[in-house]
Amino acid sequence: DVKVTQSSRYLVKRTGEKVFLECVQDMDHENMFWYRQDPGLGLRLIYFSYDVKMKEKGDIPEGYSVSREKKERFSLILESASTNQTSMYLCASTPPGISMNTEAFFGQGTRLTVV
Amino acid sequence: AQSVTQLDSQVPVFEEAPVELRCNYSSSVSVYLFWYVQYPNQGLQLLLKYLSGSTLVKGINGFEAEFNKSQTSFHLRKPSVHISDTAEYFCAVSDLSKAAGNKLTFGGGTRVLVKP
């Protein structure tokens, strides 16, 4: 069974803390993504990576950075957490290209609360 | 740039009644279209997708969607819902360019509440 695993389901952090959200996939996928989910706004892309050490900004990268040192792992970093970063964070992975079998696989999500 | 609009933020429906969730998109290029479902406290799961071919697409759990290029719509339907269909549903698009890297642009979501 394919798996995208996020290291934490729930996190509570203080304003100003550096926060790491970890995501691991076991499908040997090239592409990995970090989305943020907020009520009424759906999912918005923060960053994505299409190869090891490669990264590109998504639609809302401000306040975030990412790291991809190994193919299976994609980390989202909040350099200095703020209360407006309280949200649900979802990691996803896909193989390269699009075919009839392509789909994005999502992790369970990490609900982050910044106090 | 692409955008996706889900016209209903919440849809209450009685068990065994039909349901339709509306999705419209805008894009300057051809796109692939997806519907995902998120059950409470879970990640997203693919319901169905349209890549090409027949405009009527059948997915899992009895859902189907119809792609209408002229109206730039991809509405999701189920003829008879169950309590277990209570979830949030997301419409998404991905453009066909290699540079897109399979990025998905999502709508705001539609929360379906099935009542007994």
Side-chain angles (χ1 to χ4, degrees), chain A residues 9 37 95 97-98 100 102, chain B residues 32 36 38 41 49 51 101-102:
Chain A
R9 292 295 303 273
Q37 181 181 4
I98 291 201
M100 291 304 294
T102 296
Chain B
Y32 294 132
Y36 282 84
Q38 185 179 36
N41 299 316
K49 60 189 173 189
L51 304 184
N102 291 352

Side-chain angles (χ1 to χ4, degrees), chain B:
Chain B
Q2 303 147 41
S3 67
V4 179
T5 302
Q6 292 183 241
L7 297 161
D8 306 293
S9 59
Q10 292 188 66
V11 174
V13 57
F14 286 104
E15 194 174 16
E16 298 184 6
V19 71
E20 179 180 81
L21 308 184
R22 296 178 291 170
C23 172
N24 287 90
Y25 69 92
S26 67
S27 176
S28 56
V29 298
S30 296
V31 295
Y32 294 132
L33 296 151
F34 304 81
W35 275 99
Y36 282 84
V37 60
Q38 185 179 36
Y39 298 106
N41 299 316
Q42 294 189 25
L44 273 68
Q45 177 183 354
L46 181 68
L47 269 180
L48 49 80
K49 60 189 173 189
Y50 173 79
L51 304 184
S52 64
S54 172
T55 57
L56 183 63
V57 181
K58 294 190 183 298
I60 62 171
N61 300 341
F63 283 92
E64 63 181 32
E66 185 153 20
F67 170 56
N68 187 319
K69 189 174 182 179
S70 63
Q71 296 186 5
T72 60
S73 67
F74 190 53
H75 300 334
L76 180 71
R77 302 184 184 96
K78 186 170 182 177
S80 175
V81 296
H82 303 290
I83 294 287
S84 58
D85 292 321
T86 293
E88 190 158 19
Y89 294 79
F90 293 94
C91 182
V93 303
S94 177
D95 76 36
L96 301 185
S97 65
K98 283 187 178 180
N102 291 352
K103 287 185 293 180
L104 292 166
T105 300
F106 287 86
T110 298
R111 198 173 291 275
V112 173
L113 176 59
V114 181
K115 303 177 180 179

